[in-house]
PDB file of all heavy atoms in Angstrom:
ATOM      1  N   ILE A  56      14.791  -2.218  -5.119  1.00  0.00           N
ATOM      2  CA  ILE A  56      13.751  -1.728  -6.061  1.00  0.00           C
ATOM      3  C   ILE A  56      13.847  -0.298  -6.157  1.00  0.00           C
ATOM      4  O   ILE A  56      13.627   0.530  -5.252  1.00  0.00           O
ATOM      5  CB  ILE A  56      12.399  -2.098  -5.733  1.00  0.00           C
ATOM      6  CG1 ILE A  56      12.415  -3.678  -5.549  1.00  0.00           C
ATOM      7  CG2 ILE A  56      11.297  -1.847  -6.721  1.00  0.00           C
ATOM      8  CD1 ILE A  56      12.082  -4.134  -4.149  1.00  0.00           C
ATOM      9  N   GLU A  61       5.414   8.460  -6.199  1.00  0.00           N
ATOM     10  CA  GLU A  61       4.245   9.009  -6.864  1.00  0.00           C
ATOM     11  C   GLU A  61       3.169   9.235  -5.727  1.00  0.00           C
ATOM     12  O   GLU A  61       2.696   8.384  -5.088  1.00  0.00           O
ATOM     13  CB  GLU A  61       3.760   8.040  -7.752  1.00  0.00           C
ATOM     14  CG  GLU A  61       4.647   7.892  -8.974  1.00  0.00           C
ATOM     15  CD  GLU A  61       4.136   6.962 -10.134  1.00  0.00           C
ATOM     16  OE1 GLU A  61       3.545   5.920  -9.828  1.00  0.00           O
ATOM     17  OE2 GLU A  61       4.194   7.278 -11.302  1.00  0.00           O
ATOM     18  N   PHE A  63      -0.287  10.098  -4.690  1.00  0.00           N
ATOM     19  CA  PHE A  63      -1.717  10.070  -5.145  1.00  0.00           C
ATOM     20  C   PHE A  63      -2.601  10.556  -4.103  1.00  0.00           C
ATOM     21  O   PHE A  63      -2.583  10.281  -2.965  1.00  0.00           O
ATOM     22  CB  PHE A  63      -2.073   8.684  -5.434  1.00  0.00           C
ATOM     23  CG  PHE A  63      -1.341   8.049  -6.693  1.00  0.00           C
ATOM     24  CD1 PHE A  63      -1.587   6.857  -7.045  1.00  0.00           C
ATOM     25  CD2 PHE A  63      -0.527   8.908  -7.433  1.00  0.00           C
ATOM     26  CE1 PHE A  63      -0.895   6.222  -8.285  1.00  0.00           C
ATOM     27  CE2 PHE A  63       0.171   8.419  -8.742  1.00  0.00           C
ATOM     28  CZ  PHE A  63      -0.069   7.034  -8.958  1.00  0.00           C
ATOM     29  N   GLU A  64      -3.578  11.434  -4.542  1.00  0.00           N
ATOM     30  CA  GLU A  64      -4.660  11.804  -3.701  1.00  0.00           C
ATOM     31  C   GLU A  64      -5.765  10.743  -3.610  1.00  0.00           C
ATOM     32  O   GLU A  64      -6.043  10.101  -4.668  1.00  0.00           O
ATOM     33  CB  GLU A  64      -5.225  13.190  -4.194  1.00  0.00           C
ATOM     34  CG  GLU A  64      -4.497  14.421  -3.878  1.00  0.00           C
ATOM     35  CD  GLU A  64      -5.123  15.568  -4.584  1.00  0.00           C
ATOM     36  OE1 GLU A  64      -6.252  15.683  -4.806  1.00  0.00           O
ATOM     37  OE2 GLU A  64      -4.157  16.398  -4.929  1.00  0.00           O
ATOM     38  N   ASN A  66      -9.644   9.729  -3.377  1.00  0.00           N
ATOM     39  CA  ASN A  66     -11.020  10.397  -3.682  1.00  0.00           C
ATOM     40  C   ASN A  66     -11.902  10.296  -2.488  1.00  0.00           C
ATOM     41  O   ASN A  66     -13.000   9.742  -2.596  1.00  0.00           O
ATOM     42  CB  ASN A  66     -11.544   9.676  -4.825  1.00  0.00           C
ATOM     43  CG  ASN A  66     -10.995  10.187  -6.238  1.00  0.00           C
ATOM     44  OD1 ASN A  66     -10.219  11.208  -6.168  1.00  0.00           O
ATOM     45  ND2 ASN A  66     -11.168   9.453  -7.302  1.00  0.00           N
ATOM     46  N   VAL A  79       2.148   1.320  -3.034  1.00  0.00           N
ATOM     47  CA  VAL A  79       1.134   0.322  -3.075  1.00  0.00           C
ATOM     48  C   VAL A  79       1.473  -0.774  -3.959  1.00  0.00           C
ATOM     49  O   VAL A  79       1.348  -1.988  -3.790  1.00  0.00           O
ATOM     50  CB  VAL A  79      -0.187   1.065  -3.515  1.00  0.00           C
ATOM     51  CG1 VAL A  79      -1.304  -0.010  -3.781  1.00  0.00           C
ATOM     52  CG2 VAL A  79      -0.639   1.978  -2.379  1.00  0.00           C
ATOM     53  N   ARG A  80       1.946  -0.334  -5.207  1.00  0.00           N
ATOM     54  CA  ARG A  80       2.174  -1.335  -6.299  1.00  0.00           C
ATOM     55  C   ARG A  80       3.439  -2.173  -5.906  1.00  0.00           C
ATOM     56  O   ARG A  80       3.412  -3.386  -6.024  1.00  0.00           O
ATOM     57  CB  ARG A  80       2.632  -0.515  -7.542  1.00  0.00           C
ATOM     58  CG  ARG A  80       2.984  -1.274  -8.709  1.00  0.00           C
ATOM     59  CD  ARG A  80       3.207  -0.212  -9.901  1.00  0.00           C
ATOM     60  NE  ARG A  80       4.267   0.628  -9.695  1.00  0.00           N
ATOM     61  CZ  ARG A  80       5.538   0.448  -9.879  1.00  0.00           C
ATOM     62  NH1 ARG A  80       5.917  -0.634 -10.370  1.00  0.00           N
ATOM     63  NH2 ARG A  80       6.484   1.289  -9.662  1.00  0.00           N
ATOM     64  N   ILE A  81       4.515  -1.549  -5.351  1.00  0.00           N
ATOM     65  CA  ILE A  81       5.718  -2.325  -4.984  1.00  0.00           C
ATOM     66  C   ILE A  81       5.498  -3.291  -3.899  1.00  0.00           C
ATOM     67  O   ILE A  81       6.015  -4.450  -3.966  1.00  0.00           O
ATOM     68  CB  ILE A  81       6.919  -1.337  -4.820  1.00  0.00           C
ATOM     69  CG1 ILE A  81       7.270  -0.596  -6.140  1.00  0.00           C
ATOM     70  CG2 ILE A  81       8.080  -2.149  -4.254  1.00  0.00           C
ATOM     71  CD1 ILE A  81       8.162   0.574  -5.858  1.00  0.00           C
ATOM     72  N   ASP A  83       2.776  -4.675  -3.067  1.00  0.00           N
ATOM     73  CA  ASP A  83       2.014  -5.855  -3.750  1.00  0.00           C
ATOM     74  C   ASP A  83       2.855  -6.753  -4.435  1.00  0.00           C
ATOM     75  O   ASP A  83       2.736  -8.038  -4.332  1.00  0.00           O
ATOM     76  CB  ASP A  83       0.927  -5.099  -4.560  1.00  0.00           C
ATOM     77  CG  ASP A  83      -0.163  -6.096  -4.981  1.00  0.00           C
ATOM     78  OD1 ASP A  83      -0.623  -6.699  -4.059  1.00  0.00           O
ATOM     79  OD2 ASP A  83      -0.648  -6.112  -6.226  1.00  0.00           O
ATOM     80  N   LYS A  87       4.655 -11.204  -3.470  1.00  0.00           N
ATOM     81  CA  LYS A  87       4.901 -12.420  -4.150  1.00  0.00           C
ATOM     82  C   LYS A  87       6.176 -13.264  -3.724  1.00  0.00           C
ATOM     83  O   LYS A  87       6.293 -14.426  -3.953  1.00  0.00           O
ATOM     84  CB  LYS A  87       4.812 -12.160  -5.536  1.00  0.00           C
ATOM     85  CG  LYS A  87       3.612 -11.434  -6.035  1.00  0.00           C
ATOM     86  CD  LYS A  87       3.255 -11.503  -7.471  1.00  0.00           C
ATOM     87  CE  LYS A  87       1.831 -11.013  -7.638  1.00  0.00           C
ATOM     88  NZ  LYS A  87       1.381 -11.130  -9.087  1.00  0.00           N
ATOM     89  N   ARG A  88       7.030 -12.504  -3.125  1.00  0.00           N
ATOM     90  CA  ARG A  88       8.350 -13.060  -2.797  1.00  0.00           C
ATOM     91  C   ARG A  88       8.454 -13.136  -1.181  1.00  0.00           C
ATOM     92  O   ARG A  88       9.533 -13.188  -0.724  1.00  0.00           O
ATOM     93  CB  ARG A  88       9.480 -12.356  -3.262  1.00  0.00           C
ATOM     94  CG  ARG A  88       9.351 -12.110  -4.832  1.00  0.00           C
ATOM     95  CD  ARG A  88      10.667 -11.782  -5.479  1.00  0.00           C
ATOM     96  NE  ARG A  88      11.568 -12.770  -5.319  1.00  0.00           N
ATOM     97  CZ  ARG A  88      12.918 -12.727  -5.721  1.00  0.00           C
ATOM     98  NH1 ARG A  88      13.285 -11.441  -6.069  1.00  0.00           N
ATOM     99  NH2 ARG A  88      13.777 -13.651  -5.630  1.00  0.00           N
ATOM    100  N   LYS A  91      11.271 -14.555   1.369  1.00  0.00           N
ATOM    101  CA  LYS A  91      12.658 -14.284   0.818  1.00  0.00           C
ATOM    102  C   LYS A  91      13.325 -13.047   1.511  1.00  0.00           C
ATOM    103  O   LYS A  91      14.532 -12.733   1.317  1.00  0.00           O
ATOM    104  CB  LYS A  91      12.529 -13.960  -0.685  1.00  0.00           C
ATOM    105  CG  LYS A  91      12.018 -15.159  -1.536  1.00  0.00           C
ATOM    106  CD  LYS A  91      13.051 -16.166  -1.538  1.00  0.00           C
ATOM    107  CE  LYS A  91      12.782 -17.199  -2.640  1.00  0.00           C
ATOM    108  NZ  LYS A  91      11.472 -18.000  -2.373  1.00  0.00           N
ATOM    109  N   ASP A 115      -4.568   1.746   2.784  1.00  0.00           N
ATOM    110  CA  ASP A 115      -4.556   0.531   1.881  1.00  0.00           C
ATOM    111  C   ASP A 115      -4.751  -0.756   2.590  1.00  0.00           C
ATOM    112  O   ASP A 115      -3.879  -1.279   3.281  1.00  0.00           O
ATOM    113  CB  ASP A 115      -3.306   0.507   0.929  1.00  0.00           C
ATOM    114  CG  ASP A 115      -3.546  -0.519  -0.223  1.00  0.00           C
ATOM    115  OD1 ASP A 115      -3.999  -0.078  -1.168  1.00  0.00           O
ATOM    116  OD2 ASP A 115      -3.318  -1.687  -0.084  1.00  0.00           O
ATOM    117  N   GLU A 116      -5.829  -1.428   2.341  1.00  0.00           N
ATOM    118  CA  GLU A 116      -6.226  -2.617   2.878  1.00  0.00           C
ATOM    119  C   GLU A 116      -5.204  -3.791   2.658  1.00  0.00           C
ATOM    120  O   GLU A 116      -4.860  -4.578   3.507  1.00  0.00           O
ATOM    121  CB  GLU A 116      -7.625  -3.036   2.358  1.00  0.00           C
ATOM    122  CG  GLU A 116      -8.307  -4.106   3.087  1.00  0.00           C
ATOM    123  CD  GLU A 116      -9.568  -4.545   2.380  1.00  0.00           C
ATOM    124  OE1 GLU A 116      -9.714  -4.571   1.173  1.00  0.00           O
ATOM    125  OE2 GLU A 116     -10.550  -5.124   3.122  1.00  0.00           O
ATOM    126  N   ASP A 117      -4.863  -3.870   1.473  1.00  0.00           N
ATOM    127  CA  ASP A 117      -3.918  -4.983   1.046  1.00  0.00           C
ATOM    128  C   ASP A 117      -2.454  -4.709   1.806  1.00  0.00           C
ATOM    129  O   ASP A 117      -1.830  -5.604   2.225  1.00  0.00           O
ATOM    130  CB  ASP A 117      -3.744  -5.111  -0.434  1.00  0.00           C
ATOM    131  CG  ASP A 117      -5.022  -5.489  -1.033  1.00  0.00           C
ATOM    132  OD1 ASP A 117      -5.402  -6.573  -0.771  1.00  0.00           O
ATOM    133  OD2 ASP A 117      -5.612  -4.654  -1.644  1.00  0.00           O
TER     134      ASP A 117
ATOM    135  N   GLU B  44       6.057 -16.760  -7.707  1.00  0.00           N
ATOM    136  CA  GLU B  44       7.497 -16.599  -8.197  1.00  0.00           C
ATOM    137  C   GLU B  44       8.008 -17.819  -9.001  1.00  0.00           C
ATOM    138  O   GLU B  44       7.643 -18.922  -8.745  1.00  0.00           O
ATOM    139  CB  GLU B  44       8.485 -16.235  -7.034  1.00  0.00           C
ATOM    140  CG  GLU B  44       8.277 -17.145  -5.778  1.00  0.00           C
ATOM    141  CD  GLU B  44       9.269 -16.552  -4.695  1.00  0.00           C
ATOM    142  OE1 GLU B  44      10.150 -15.673  -4.860  1.00  0.00           O
ATOM    143  OE2 GLU B  44       9.081 -17.122  -3.634  1.00  0.00           O
ATOM    144  N   ILE B  66       6.632 -13.264 -10.165  1.00  0.00           N
ATOM    145  CA  ILE B  66       5.942 -13.160 -11.397  1.00  0.00           C
ATOM    146  C   ILE B  66       4.875 -12.109 -11.088  1.00  0.00           C
ATOM    147  O   ILE B  66       3.916 -12.302 -10.325  1.00  0.00           O
ATOM    148  CB  ILE B  66       5.318 -14.508 -11.801  1.00  0.00           C
ATOM    149  CG1 ILE B  66       6.439 -15.458 -12.058  1.00  0.00           C
ATOM    150  CG2 ILE B  66       4.662 -14.328 -13.205  1.00  0.00           C
ATOM    151  CD1 ILE B  66       6.016 -16.971 -12.346  1.00  0.00           C
ATOM    152  N   ASP B  81       9.756  -9.490 -11.732  1.00  0.00           N
ATOM    153  CA  ASP B  81      10.616  -8.517 -11.098  1.00  0.00           C
ATOM    154  C   ASP B  81      12.067  -8.767 -11.569  1.00  0.00           C
ATOM    155  O   ASP B  81      13.003  -7.988 -11.032  1.00  0.00           O
ATOM    156  CB  ASP B  81      10.394  -8.540  -9.555  1.00  0.00           C
ATOM    157  CG  ASP B  81      10.758  -9.764  -8.906  1.00  0.00           C
ATOM    158  OD1 ASP B  81      11.430 -10.673  -9.516  1.00  0.00           O
ATOM    159  OD2 ASP B  81      10.567  -9.934  -7.684  1.00  0.00           O
ATOM    160  N   TRP B 105      10.925  -3.670 -13.082  1.00  0.00           N
ATOM    161  CA  TRP B 105       9.866  -4.631 -12.985  1.00  0.00           C
ATOM    162  C   TRP B 105       8.850  -4.456 -14.184  1.00  0.00           C
ATOM    163  O   TRP B 105       8.605  -3.444 -14.612  1.00  0.00           O
ATOM    164  CB  TRP B 105       8.962  -4.354 -11.769  1.00  0.00           C
ATOM    165  CG  TRP B 105       9.627  -4.677 -10.481  1.00  0.00           C
ATOM    166  CD1 TRP B 105      10.940  -4.887 -10.283  1.00  0.00           C
ATOM    167  CD2 TRP B 105       8.983  -4.785  -9.177  1.00  0.00           C
ATOM    168  NE1 TRP B 105      11.128  -5.207  -8.925  1.00  0.00           N
ATOM    169  CE2 TRP B 105       9.945  -5.167  -8.287  1.00  0.00           C
ATOM    170  CE3 TRP B 105       7.568  -4.657  -8.754  1.00  0.00           C
ATOM    171  CZ2 TRP B 105       9.648  -5.308  -6.809  1.00  0.00           C
ATOM    172  CZ3 TRP B 105       7.313  -4.836  -7.342  1.00  0.00           C
ATOM    173  CH2 TRP B 105       8.362  -5.222  -6.421  1.00  0.00           C
ATOM    174  N   ASP B 107       5.417  -4.709 -14.884  1.00  0.00           N
ATOM    175  CA  ASP B 107       4.352  -4.741 -14.101  1.00  0.00           C
ATOM    176  C   ASP B 107       2.942  -5.321 -14.732  1.00  0.00           C
ATOM    177  O   ASP B 107       2.131  -5.714 -14.112  1.00  0.00           O
ATOM    178  CB  ASP B 107       4.023  -3.354 -13.541  1.00  0.00           C
ATOM    179  CG  ASP B 107       5.116  -2.746 -12.760  1.00  0.00           C
ATOM    180  OD1 ASP B 107       5.525  -3.414 -11.807  1.00  0.00           O
ATOM    181  OD2 ASP B 107       5.626  -1.611 -12.924  1.00  0.00           O
ATOM    182  N   SER B 141       2.236   8.764 -15.339  1.00  0.00           N
ATOM    183  CA  SER B 141       2.624   8.147 -14.095  1.00  0.00           C
ATOM    184  C   SER B 141       2.716   6.636 -14.340  1.00  0.00           C
ATOM    185  O   SER B 141       2.385   6.124 -15.486  1.00  0.00           O
ATOM    186  CB  SER B 141       1.565   8.393 -12.929  1.00  0.00           C
ATOM    187  OG  SER B 141       0.282   7.910 -13.395  1.00  0.00           O
ATOM    188  N   THR B 142       3.173   5.826 -13.331  1.00  0.00           N
ATOM    189  CA  THR B 142       3.310   4.399 -13.579  1.00  0.00           C
ATOM    190  C   THR B 142       2.063   3.774 -14.139  1.00  0.00           C
ATOM    191  O   THR B 142       0.968   4.002 -13.583  1.00  0.00           O
ATOM    192  CB  THR B 142       3.689   3.798 -12.167  1.00  0.00           C
ATOM    193  OG1 THR B 142       4.963   4.435 -11.911  1.00  0.00           O
ATOM    194  CG2 THR B 142       3.946   2.327 -12.370  1.00  0.00           C
ATOM    195  N   TYR B 160      -2.502   7.005 -13.166  1.00  0.00           N
ATOM    196  CA  TYR B 160      -3.076   7.935 -12.225  1.00  0.00           C
ATOM    197  C   TYR B 160      -3.887   8.962 -12.998  1.00  0.00           C
ATOM    198  O   TYR B 160      -3.577   9.607 -13.978  1.00  0.00           O
ATOM    199  CB  TYR B 160      -2.017   8.591 -11.438  1.00  0.00           C
ATOM    200  CG  TYR B 160      -2.448   9.548 -10.280  1.00  0.00           C
ATOM    201  CD1 TYR B 160      -3.343   9.150  -9.455  1.00  0.00           C
ATOM    202  CD2 TYR B 160      -1.995  10.780 -10.171  1.00  0.00           C
ATOM    203  CE1 TYR B 160      -3.809   9.933  -8.320  1.00  0.00           C
ATOM    204  CE2 TYR B 160      -2.330  11.664  -9.117  1.00  0.00           C
ATOM    205  CZ  TYR B 160      -3.255  11.175  -8.297  1.00  0.00           C
ATOM    206  OH  TYR B 160      -3.648  12.071  -7.216  1.00  0.00           O
ATOM    207  N   ALA B 180     -10.322  11.313 -11.833  1.00  0.00           N
ATOM    208  CA  ALA B 180      -9.377  11.566 -10.758  1.00  0.00           C
ATOM    209  C   ALA B 180      -9.269  10.191  -9.991  1.00  0.00           C
ATOM    210  O   ALA B 180     -10.235   9.472  -9.726  1.00  0.00           O
ATOM    211  CB  ALA B 180      -9.862  12.625  -9.833  1.00  0.00           C
ATOM    212  N   SER B 182      -6.422   6.752  -8.797  1.00  0.00           N
ATOM    213  CA  SER B 182      -5.444   5.743  -9.378  1.00  0.00           C
ATOM    214  C   SER B 182      -6.159   4.644  -9.922  1.00  0.00           C
ATOM    215  O   SER B 182      -6.870   3.924  -9.341  1.00  0.00           O
ATOM    216  CB  SER B 182      -4.544   5.352  -8.201  1.00  0.00           C
ATOM    217  OG  SER B 182      -3.575   4.392  -8.594  1.00  0.00           O
ATOM    218  N   HIS B 200      -7.858   2.196  -7.319  1.00  0.00           N
ATOM    219  CA  HIS B 200      -7.244   1.844  -6.113  1.00  0.00           C
ATOM    220  C   HIS B 200      -8.148   1.896  -4.996  1.00  0.00           C
ATOM    221  O   HIS B 200      -8.207   0.995  -3.970  1.00  0.00           O
ATOM    222  CB  HIS B 200      -6.039   2.795  -5.799  1.00  0.00           C
ATOM    223  CG  HIS B 200      -5.390   2.610  -4.454  1.00  0.00           C
ATOM    224  ND1 HIS B 200      -5.119   3.677  -3.574  1.00  0.00           N
ATOM    225  CD2 HIS B 200      -4.872   1.458  -3.960  1.00  0.00           C
ATOM    226  CE1 HIS B 200      -4.678   3.095  -2.567  1.00  0.00           C
ATOM    227  NE2 HIS B 200      -4.436   1.889  -2.637  1.00  0.00           N
ATOM    228  N   GLU B 201      -9.083   2.940  -5.037  1.00  0.00           N
ATOM    229  CA  GLU B 201     -10.155   2.856  -4.006  1.00  0.00           C
ATOM    230  C   GLU B 201     -11.195   1.812  -4.326  1.00  0.00           C
ATOM    231  O   GLU B 201     -11.133   1.408  -5.435  1.00  0.00           O
ATOM    232  CB  GLU B 201     -10.763   4.289  -3.886  1.00  0.00           C
ATOM    233  CG  GLU B 201     -11.410   4.691  -5.228  1.00  0.00           C
ATOM    234  CD  GLU B 201     -11.238   6.158  -5.579  1.00  0.00           C
ATOM    235  OE1 GLU B 201     -10.108   6.703  -5.718  1.00  0.00           O
ATOM    236  OE2 GLU B 201     -12.305   6.855  -5.412  1.00  0.00           O
ATOM    237  N   ARG B 223     -10.988  -3.325  -2.505  1.00  0.00           N
ATOM    238  CA  ARG B 223     -10.577  -3.145  -3.898  1.00  0.00           C
ATOM    239  C   ARG B 223     -11.041  -4.215  -4.761  1.00  0.00           C
ATOM    240  O   ARG B 223     -11.082  -5.478  -4.373  1.00  0.00           O
ATOM    241  CB  ARG B 223      -9.098  -2.954  -3.886  1.00  0.00           C
ATOM    242  CG  ARG B 223      -8.585  -2.360  -5.076  1.00  0.00           C
ATOM    243  CD  ARG B 223      -7.199  -2.680  -5.330  1.00  0.00           C
ATOM    244  NE  ARG B 223      -6.210  -2.132  -4.442  1.00  0.00           N
ATOM    245  CZ  ARG B 223      -4.900  -2.390  -4.570  1.00  0.00           C
ATOM    246  NH1 ARG B 223      -4.500  -3.071  -5.587  1.00  0.00           N
ATOM    247  NH2 ARG B 223      -4.038  -1.997  -3.605  1.00  0.00           N
ATOM    248  N   ARG B 225     -10.345  -6.720  -7.610  1.00  0.00           N
ATOM    249  CA  ARG B 225      -9.180  -7.244  -8.258  1.00  0.00           C
ATOM    250  C   ARG B 225      -9.499  -8.212  -9.348  1.00  0.00           C
ATOM    251  O   ARG B 225      -8.686  -8.627 -10.122  1.00  0.00           O
ATOM    252  CB  ARG B 225      -8.275  -7.915  -7.199  1.00  0.00           C
ATOM    253  CG  ARG B 225      -7.589  -7.063  -6.274  1.00  0.00           C
ATOM    254  CD  ARG B 225      -6.886  -7.743  -5.190  1.00  0.00           C
ATOM    255  NE  ARG B 225      -5.987  -6.893  -4.469  1.00  0.00           N
ATOM    256  CZ  ARG B 225      -4.733  -6.750  -4.845  1.00  0.00           C
ATOM    257  NH1 ARG B 225      -4.146  -7.443  -5.729  1.00  0.00           N
ATOM    258  NH2 ARG B 225      -3.929  -5.863  -4.234  1.00  0.00           N
ATOM    259  N   ARG B 269     -15.390 -12.432   1.607  1.00  0.00           N
ATOM    260  CA  ARG B 269     -15.249 -11.547   0.527  1.00  0.00           C
ATOM    261  C   ARG B 269     -15.068 -12.250  -0.850  1.00  0.00           C
ATOM    262  O   ARG B 269     -14.202 -13.315  -0.690  1.00  0.00           O
ATOM    263  CB  ARG B 269     -14.107 -10.664   0.790  1.00  0.00           C
ATOM    264  CG  ARG B 269     -13.833  -9.425  -0.065  1.00  0.00           C
ATOM    265  CD  ARG B 269     -14.611  -8.262   0.207  1.00  0.00           C
ATOM    266  NE  ARG B 269     -14.547  -7.609   1.450  1.00  0.00           N
ATOM    267  CZ  ARG B 269     -13.507  -6.808   1.814  1.00  0.00           C
ATOM    268  NH1 ARG B 269     -12.554  -6.473   0.974  1.00  0.00           N
ATOM    269  NH2 ARG B 269     -13.549  -6.163   3.076  1.00  0.00           N
TER     270      ARG B 269
END
Side-chain angles (χ1 to χ4, degrees):
Chain A
I56 302 114
E61 294 188 315
F63 290 176
E64 281 171 33
N66 280 346
V79 171
R80 177 180 61 87
I81 290 168
D83 197 43
K87 302 204 168 179
R88 305 195 69 189
K91 297 288 194 293
D115 191 90
E116 193 185 30
D117 297 291
Chain B
E44 48 184 349
I66 303 172
D81 66 10
W105 289 13
D107 296 310
S141 61
T142 300
Y160 183 52
S182 179
H200 176 234
E201 60 214 72
R223 200 206 290 180
R225 288 175 167 265
R269 191 80 62 79

